[in-house]
Amino acid sequence: MTKASLPVILLAAGASSRMRGRDKLMEDVDGQPLLRRQTRLAQSVGPVTVALPPAPHPRYTALTGLDIAPLPIPDAAEGMGASLRRAFADLPPDTAAAMVMLADMPDLEPGDLACLAASVDLSSETLVWRATTEDGRPGHPIIFAAALFDQLKRLSGDDGGRAVVHGAGARVQMVPLPGQRARLDLDTPEDWAAWRKPQE
């Protein structure tokens, strides 16, 4: 798909509850808060909507100056379903497909998103294009065709769209990315320490 036609929903409204007082999305990666890095990465694909906790919140400062659409999620504590429900309802009505990206996956690169986006063929029977690890384990990001948007607008709780992907059955195309990038997320201080160690 072309850049202009593939919006990205970046999920960044979670409480970072396992970080024991730190905010994983404000951790420094490549000299900037992780949230800012991931938002700029998402912008390499298309227009970006960032699902965020209600303001005021420090995460808004990480997005200063970026041409994105912040989307406060008043019921963010409900879980990922609240963000997806509101973000898909907020898309322009003529949107043909949209990418859902998690904000806490620091190994993703622009080429990974470009590879996933390039796999989309809206003339095919496929409804979901899902990134996997190089050994085939399903991960993120995920692109959903418009035929699934109504289901995504009805999500609740902490359902990140798993039921929608499962329901698509054979109409899911897996797209391998290098290494374990499609599954590496960092949820605890120990995760962050282990990830940073090889880079020191």
Side-chain angles (χ1 to χ4, degrees), residues 82 90 114 153 200:
D90 198 58
K153 292 174 189 176
E200 292 174 352

Side-chain angles (χ1 to χ4, degrees), residues 17-178:
S17 56
R18 296 173 61 195
M19 287 292 290
R20 300 195 292 278
R22 287 159 55 183
D23 185 344
K24 62 183 175 181
L25 299 187
M26 299 298 284
E27 291 284 319
D28 185 278
V29 178
D30 299 336
Q32 59 194 316
L34 174 61
L35 177 57
R36 187 175 185 86
R37 178 197 186 271
Q38 299 307 88
T39 302
R40 294 173 69 186
L41 177 64
Q43 286 180 307
S44 71
V45 174
V48 180
T49 296
V50 185
L52 290 159
H57 194 284
R59 289 178 190 170
Y60 288 82
T61 65
L63 302 173
T64 301
L66 297 181
D67 182 19
I68 55 97
L71 181 65
I73 308 296
D75 44 1
E78 175 191 317
M80 203 179 293
S83 293
L84 289 169
R85 180 175 69 237
R86 291 180 179 273
F88 275 96
D90 198 58
L91 289 173
D94 59 347
T95 303
M99 177 184 290
V100 173
M101 179 176 161
L102 305 182
D104 61 351
M105 302 181 73
D107 278 355
L108 287 174
E109 298 289 345
D112 300 328
L113 302 195
C115 174
L116 185 61
S119 70
V120 174
D121 178 1
L122 294 173
S123 67
S124 71
E125 292 293 306
T126 304
L127 293 174
V128 177
W129 295 263
R130 182 169 196 175
T132 74
T133 60
E134 64 182 7
D135 55 351
R137 293 192 300 154
H140 289 268
I142 303 174
I143 297 173
F144 294 94
L148 298 176
F149 287 4
D150 283 347
Q151 294 180 49
L152 291 157
K153 292 174 189 176
R154 295 195 298 268
L155 291 176
S156 61
D158 202 30
D159 185 344
R162 288 181 296 270
V164 177
V165 174
H166 182 74
R171 302 176 75 179
V172 178
Q173 178 180 331
M174 299 299 195
V175 182
L177 302 181

